[in-house]
């Protein structure tokens, strides 16, 4: 009897160790396997299709002033070292203009005053960071759809790319969305936050708000909007700084 | 030797075990990215956290590498694993529940009768567990009441809760189904519940393994792998079968 118990214990122990060992060594190898990563990344397409089926054109939830975060955390780059940007910032962005180009009929250079003169949308929304935290703030600016309508899209245009003034090391920040999100009513170019001009820490002079996706899609320090047919051939080709740098999902609805 | 567990139960059990382990370990890595929990709609570093672990030792993560997927810090990689395996969890649970409803597994094996809900019966079941008295003979083929409650809580409570609170954290889902995160009291509340229920599942796992070890690990393991179970002699034996 004692012999049987012992062998049983040994067997179970070996089984547990074996499983644990497989998992410990296997997860590392699997995580580096290109085929396995491709399979995992297949879920991103499922997320986009499922969410667009469920949400359609629905708006992200909007909140009352009383529900706003007392303090809105600034994240990512909180300042820009670029000399031209610094000059514009010191001058209150009075001489600055947003460039809209690429696959458009009429390339634009829109000064901040022109963006402020367009019909405005103000929205109190929840900003969800990929890390897990959330902050609720009030954003105001023209809808991106209005700016795109002024420029007039060429039929080949599929993506709006946001080129930013901030950098991580030598790599400029950029982000991109497709035209479904670009023409969503809550997608605005915010120059005002919580009733004040957008602070530098939050992306002055202009920050993209794309409310149904995670925080890293909301590009700060937007200098130029480029309309493109494809994301291939631009930096790492995955459509955004974090997408290129670490395999973060391009569709960040989850 | 008798047939104990159906093929559908055995397949789901093992597939689900691997899936939950991956979800737990990748979830702990995701938590490491912001190891603070809040109640309400919003919550970030300036706000009050009801739980704040890690970041106490510089350069140390809240959960260590042996417990996470991947083993070194990568939020992006952990999300790849977590969000892909979340589909496996949800679809497999849906299929298993539908199949178990159709083949009578839920009605026959998991349904808790009114007699079983009676306090006297439950108390007897608690005492039998405390004294490590396990059913023998044909009675060993049926789940006891505490066992039914535990399995039903996982199948109909904890796992659906994990899926619901997981979806409630998604900004895309929030646009489509705003009530989905609102019922928790907000996105950060849903994140807190997600974390708490994950550890409730860990608690279930610990009890589950303990009961397998106490009830006769080889026989139990054989029955959940091959389906074959050796009936313990009746009435209940003192030692393992």
């Amino acid at each position: 009897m004692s012999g049987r118990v012992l062998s049983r214990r040994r067997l179970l122990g070996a089984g547990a160790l074996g499983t644990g060992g497989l998992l410990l060594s296997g997860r590392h190898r699997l995580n580096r396997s290109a085929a396995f990563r491709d399979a995992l990344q297949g879920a991103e397409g499922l997320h986009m299709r499922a969410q667009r089926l469920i949400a359609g054109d629905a708006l992200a939830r909007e909140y009352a002033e009383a529900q706003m975060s007392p303090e809105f955390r600034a994240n990512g780059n909180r300042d820009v070292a670029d000399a031209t940007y610094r000059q514009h910032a010191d001058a209150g962005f009075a001489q600055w203009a947003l460039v809209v180009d690429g696959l458009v009929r009429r390339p634009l250079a829109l000064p901040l005053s022109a963006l402020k003169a367009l019909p405005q949308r103000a929205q109190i929304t929840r900003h969800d960071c990929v890390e897990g935290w959330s902050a609720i703030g009030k954003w105001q600016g023209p809808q991106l759809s209005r700016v795109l309508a002024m420029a007039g899209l060429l039929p080949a245009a599929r993506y709006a790319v946001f080129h930013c003034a901030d950098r991580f090391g030598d790599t400029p920040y950029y982000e991109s969305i497709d035209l479904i999100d670009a023409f969503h009513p809550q997608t605005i170019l915010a120059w005002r936050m919580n009733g004040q001009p957008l602070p530098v820490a939050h992306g002055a002079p202009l920050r993209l708000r794309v409310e149904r996706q995670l925080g890293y899609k909301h590009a700060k320090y937007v200098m130029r909007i480029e309309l493109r047919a494809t994301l291939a051939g631009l930096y790492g080709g995955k459509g955004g700084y974090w997408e290129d740098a670490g395999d973060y999902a391009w569709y960040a609805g989850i | 030797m008798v047939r104990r567990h159906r093929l559908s139960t055995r397949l789901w059990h093992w597939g689900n075990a691997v899936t939950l382990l991956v979800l737990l370990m990748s979830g702990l890595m995701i938590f490491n990215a912001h190891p603070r929990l809040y109640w309400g709609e919003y919550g970030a570093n300036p706000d009050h956290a009801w739980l704040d672990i890690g970041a106490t030792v510089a350069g140390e993560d809240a959960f260590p590498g042996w417990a996470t997927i991947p083993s070194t810090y990568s939020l992006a990689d952990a999300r790849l694993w977590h969000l892909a395996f979340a589909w496996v969890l949800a679809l497999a649970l849906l299929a298993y529940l539908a199949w178990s409803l159709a083949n009578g597994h839920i009605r026959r094996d998991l349904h808790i009768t009114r007699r079983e809900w009676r306090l006297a019966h439950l108390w007897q079941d608690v005492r039998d567990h405390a004294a490590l008295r396990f059913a023998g003979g044909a009675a060993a083929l049926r789940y006891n009441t505490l066992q039914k409650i535990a399995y039903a809580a996982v199948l109909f409570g904890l796992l659906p809760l994990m899926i619901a609170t997981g979806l409630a954290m998604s900004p895309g889902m929030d646009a489509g189904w705003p009530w989905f995160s609102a019922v928790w009291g907000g996105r950060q509340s849903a994140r807190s519940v997600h974390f708490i229920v994950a550890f409730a599942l860990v608690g279930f796992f610990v009890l589950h393994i303990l009961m397998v070890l106490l009830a006769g690990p080889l026989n139990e393991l054989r029955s959940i792998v091959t389906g074959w179970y050796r009936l313990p002699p009746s009435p209940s034996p003192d030692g393992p079968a």
Side-chain angles (χ1 to χ4, degrees), chain A residues 87-108:
Chain A
Q87 277 174 11
H88 282 308
D90 291 343
F93 299 100
Q95 305 302 314
W96 173 87
L98 169 72
V99 172
V100 183
D101 62 3
L103 296 172
V104 294
R105 289 181 213 287
R106 295 170 295 276
L108 307 172

Side-chain angles (χ1 to χ4, degrees), chain A residues 118-129:
Chain A
L118 287 171
Q120 302 285 300
R121 192 179 203 284
Q123 55 205 29
I124 301 176
T125 51
R126 200 187 62 217
H127 182 87
D128 295 332
C129 179

Side-chain angles (χ1 to χ4, degrees), chain B residues 160-223:
Chain B
L161 265 175
M162 285 312 282
I163 295 164
T165 51
L167 283 173
M169 284 186 267
S170 143
M173 286 299 300
D174 207 19
W177 295 346
W179 49 271
F180 217 72
S181 81
V183 294
W184 309 106
R187 183 191 193 230
Q188 290 302 320
S189 296
R191 184 167 173 263
S192 289
V193 174
H194 197 70
F195 183 88
I196 292 166
V197 176
F199 278 87
L201 281 167
V202 172
F204 166 80
F205 171 77
V206 170
L207 278 179
H208 184 53
I209 296 298
L210 191 69
M211 293 315 295
V212 167
L213 291 176
L214 291 170
L218 271 197
N219 199 20
E220 297 290 337
L221 210 51
R222 187 203 301 114
S223 73

Side-chain angles (χ1 to χ4, degrees), chain A residues 100-155:
Chain A
V100 183
D101 62 3
L103 296 172
V104 294
R105 289 181 213 287
R106 295 170 295 276
L108 307 172
L110 293 168
L112 202 50
S113 55
L115 291 165
K116 290 177 182 177
L118 287 171
Q120 302 285 300
R121 192 179 203 284
Q123 55 205 29
I124 301 176
T125 51
R126 200 187 62 217
H127 182 87
D128 295 332
C129 179
V130 67
E131 292 173 350
W133 53 270
S134 309
I136 298 178
K138 184 176 182 179
W139 306 92
Q140 186 196 311
Q143 290 173 318
L144 177 61
S145 60
R146 288 203 179 263
V147 174
L148 295 183
M150 286 169 71
L153 300 197
L154 290 171

Side-chain angles (χ1 to χ4, degrees), chain A residues 23 27 31 37 41 47 51 58 61 63 67 69-71 73 126 128 130-134 212 246 248 253-254, chain B residues 21 25 34 41-43 45-46 65 68 70 75-77 79-81 87 170-172 174-175 177-178 181 187-188:
Chain A
L23 191 79
R27 67 182 157 162
N31 195 46
R37 292 181 75 90
Q41 275 170 324
H47 297 145
Q51 293 199 341
R61 215 135 44 100
Y63 298 86
Q67 293 170 291
S69 295
E71 188 186 335
R73 174 178 164 177
R126 200 187 62 217
D128 295 332
V130 67
E131 292 173 350
W133 53 270
S134 309
R212 301 183 301 176
Y248 280 90
I254 187 161
Chain B
L21 187 64
M25 294 175 73
H34 188 74
E41 235 2 304
Y42 63 78
N45 300 59
T68 61
L75 172 59
D77 287 3
R79 280 169 53 83
L80 279 183
W81 286 73
W87 281 93
S170 143
D174 207 19
W177 295 346
S181 81
R187 183 191 193 230
Q188 290 302 320

Side-chain angles (χ1 to χ4, degrees), chain B:
Chain B
M1 295 278 260
V2 292
R3 297 292 286 175
R4 177 79 197 269
H5 298 297
R6 287 179 193 78
L7 182 64
S8 56
T9 298
R10 287 179 273 139
L11 280 177
W12 180 78
H13 174 273
W14 289 110
N16 196 57
V18 172
T19 303
L20 281 185
L21 187 64
V22 168
L23 284 168
L24 174 70
M25 294 175 73
S26 54
L28 294 180
M29 173 56 83
I30 293 173
F31 181 82
N32 278 350
H34 188 74
R36 294 160 58 86
L37 292 172
Y38 315 87
W39 294 115
E41 235 2 304
Y42 63 78
N45 300 59
D47 305 306
H48 172 73
W50 68 267
L51 184 74
D52 183 358
I53 47 177
T56 43
V57 187
E60 294 278 330
D61 289 323
F63 290 105
W66 60 262
T68 61
I69 291 177
S71 50
T72 50
Y73 183 82
S74 171
L75 172 59
D77 287 3
R79 280 169 53 83
L80 279 183
W81 286 73
H82 201 76
L83 299 178
F85 276 83
W87 281 93
V88 179
L89 172 77
L91 295 180
L93 180 67
L94 202 65
Y96 180 61
L97 287 181
W99 191 250
S100 297
L101 201 64
N103 70 12
H105 179 46
I106 291 175
R107 179 175 41 81
R108 234 187 344 258
D109 304 321
L110 292 171
H111 174 68
I112 304 165
T113 62
R114 288 175 74 145
R115 193 188 62 80
E116 289 176 311
W117 274 123
R118 289 226 302 271
L119 268 181
H121 175 83
L122 287 174
W123 179 237
Q124 185 58 45
D125 218 27
V126 169
R127 284 172 44 177
D128 285 345
H129 276 82
L132 302 181
R133 275 193 300 268
F134 295 104
L141 284 177
R142 307 207 39 87
Y143 298 144
N144 62 62
T145 311
L146 291 186
Q147 195 174 9
K148 282 185 186 180
I149 292 173
Y151 294 168
V154 169
L155 274 175
F156 306 113
L158 300 183
L159 293 180
L161 265 175
M162 285 312 282
I163 295 164
T165 51
L167 283 173
M169 284 186 267
S170 143
M173 286 299 300
D174 207 19
W177 295 346
W179 49 271
F180 217 72
S181 81
V183 294
W184 309 106
R187 183 191 193 230
Q188 290 302 320
S189 296
R191 184 167 173 263
S192 289
V193 174
H194 197 70
F195 183 88
I196 292 166
V197 176
F199 278 87
L201 281 167
V202 172
F204 166 80
F205 171 77
V206 170
L207 278 179
H208 184 53
I209 296 298
L210 191 69
M211 293 315 295
V212 167
L213 291 176
L214 291 170
L218 271 197
N219 199 20
E220 297 290 337
L221 210 51
R222 187 203 301 114
S223 73
I224 195 66
V225 173
T226 67
W228 290 102
Y229 182 72
R230 188 191 305 282
L231 273 189
S234 178
S236 61
D238 292 330

